[in-house]
Amino acid sequence: LYAPSSPRLFAMQKLVEVGHFNMARIRLIWTRVWSLLGEHFQSAAAHSDQSVGMYAIDSLRQLAAKFLSREELTKFAYQEEVLRPFATLVRSGSVTCQELAVHCVGQICESNAAYLRSGWRIVFACLMNASTQDVDSVVHAAQSVLGKILYASTFKPISDKCAADCINCLLSLANNHHCNTSQVGKFIKQLAGKLALDESGEVVSVEEVELQWEPLLAGLTSLCLEPHLRSTALSVLFDILLTHGYGIES
């Protein structure tokens, strides 16, 4: 792999096969295998040869998507461990690695959203890391992925217990000058709609959702203090209060 002239990918291809063949084993055993595989692929993603790095990230995506196609057991958080390398790559990888990692996370969410549980925390950690970058392509990739997640019918922020992570990600994205502020405003209103209704479309009781409204409204209030965001933030804030204010106590 680290041959100076032409790195060979044969061993890495075999590692992908090892991951696939061991995936049927109990999750506790497979996560031990993954701790070694994930670390190796994460290291390979930083290879000086861009083609090697892209192959390593795509290998991570293949294995993660395969693992996430099964329901997560109650009170376990194996999905977090499987997706953690992507968060690291987005935080400290090259621009190419960051952008590809964000797109891979988006593909995983698109195909496995119905099975994601603890994995949502790492998904939003990836997007949060991307939203703090000063690179236009990375920020736009994060914005695109976040939009697809929010408009997907399979995304249930209350039952999946990821509303706070999603709110923080949206607020971080809004503060990045590379993002489309009006588009992020629409995303926030979409999230508010999901917070106001349960899976059957019924209005969620105040007791169930009040802990989610507080950070959302507080975050919008903080955005109102930023001169370049004030107009959009105020508009979104009042739209949410007009639409869902009946479910929010003083």
Side-chain angles (χ1 to χ4, degrees), residues 172-198:
S172 176
L173 190 62
N175 278 297
N176 192 306
H177 65 277
H178 290 291
C179 82
N180 183 330
T181 308
S182 62
Q183 192 68 43
V184 175
K186 293 178 183 177
F187 292 169
I188 293 175
K189 286 193 282 188
Q190 177 69 13
L191 176 61
K194 286 184 176 287
L195 292 178
L197 302 175
D198 61 17

Side-chain angles (χ1 to χ4, degrees), residues 28 37 57 70 75 93 100 104 122 134 141 213 232 235 240:
L28 181 62
L37 293 178
I57 295 173
R70 298 185 296 172
K75 296 185 179 179
L100 182 57
C104 285
I122 301 300
D134 194 21
W213 282 118
T232 301
S235 175
I240 290 175

Side-chain angles (χ1 to χ4, degrees), residues 34-101:
W34 177 255
S35 66
L36 298 174
L37 293 178
E39 185 177 345
H40 177 74
F41 286 127
Q42 189 176 306
S43 174
H47 197 283
S48 56
D49 189 321
Q50 186 172 313
S51 62
V52 174
M54 294 180 72
Y55 185 88
I57 295 173
D58 189 61
S59 298
L60 279 172
R61 179 194 61 79
Q62 290 178 50
L63 291 172
K66 180 76 173 176
F67 181 82
L68 294 170
S69 63
R70 298 185 296 172
E71 286 279 359
E72 183 173 55
L73 299 175
T74 306
K75 296 185 179 179
F76 286 90
Y78 295 134
Q79 293 181 354
E80 287 189 31
E81 298 304 317
V82 172
L83 292 172
R84 200 175 301 281
F86 292 102
T88 304
L89 289 172
V90 176
R91 183 175 64 250
S92 57
S94 66
V95 172
T96 303
C97 282
Q98 290 174 337
E99 191 173 352
L100 182 57

